[in-house]
Amino acid sequence: MAFFEPIGACVLALACMAPAQPAESTFQLTSHDTKGRIGTVSLTCGPTGGSHPTRGDACGKLSEVDGKFERLRPEPRACTLEYSPVDVSAVGKWRGEPVTYRTSYANRCVADAESAGVFTF
């Protein structure tokens, strides 16, 4: 019986050294406005990571809509009627499925509100 203990410990140690699994959902998010400002961040969900400033909230909002950007629930916010278009895009995968999303908003405030903060960066 003692013979198998070192083998068992070795097998367990090798299992612990297995490479980390890639994130199941990862995106490159970009925004571009008429003033020439371009922003880009990475967002990883499952596990949460990336350079998005509120990655936990963004992943939570995307989880609520199963990664469907077009279904994000707008957050109530008062925005001006200024027309200063903002183009946004998301390219990546959600739970292994490819995702490409692009849309335009009337201004930065509307983009932040309509995207539930996912494009707030």
Side-chain angles (χ1 to χ4, degrees), residues 13-70:
L14 290 175
C16 294
M17 293 175 48
Q21 295 297 318
E24 64 178 39
S25 302
T26 182
F27 299 100
Q28 187 71 31
L29 307 176
T30 60
S31 70
H32 179 260
D33 65 25
T34 56
K35 296 176 182 165
R37 292 182 296 219
I38 298 172
T40 184
V41 297
S42 61
L43 177 63
T44 303
C45 304
T48 302
S51 61
H52 194 288
T54 57
R55 54 192 162 268
D57 290 339
C59 286
K61 299 292 184 178
L62 286 167
S63 289
E64 290 174 8
V65 296
D66 196 29
K68 309 249 186 291
F69 285 82
E70 65 276 4

Side-chain angles (χ1 to χ4, degrees), residues 83-95:
Y83 185 70
S84 182
V86 176
D87 299 321
V88 300
S89 67
V91 177
K93 61 182 178 174
W94 178 258
R95 297 185 178 152

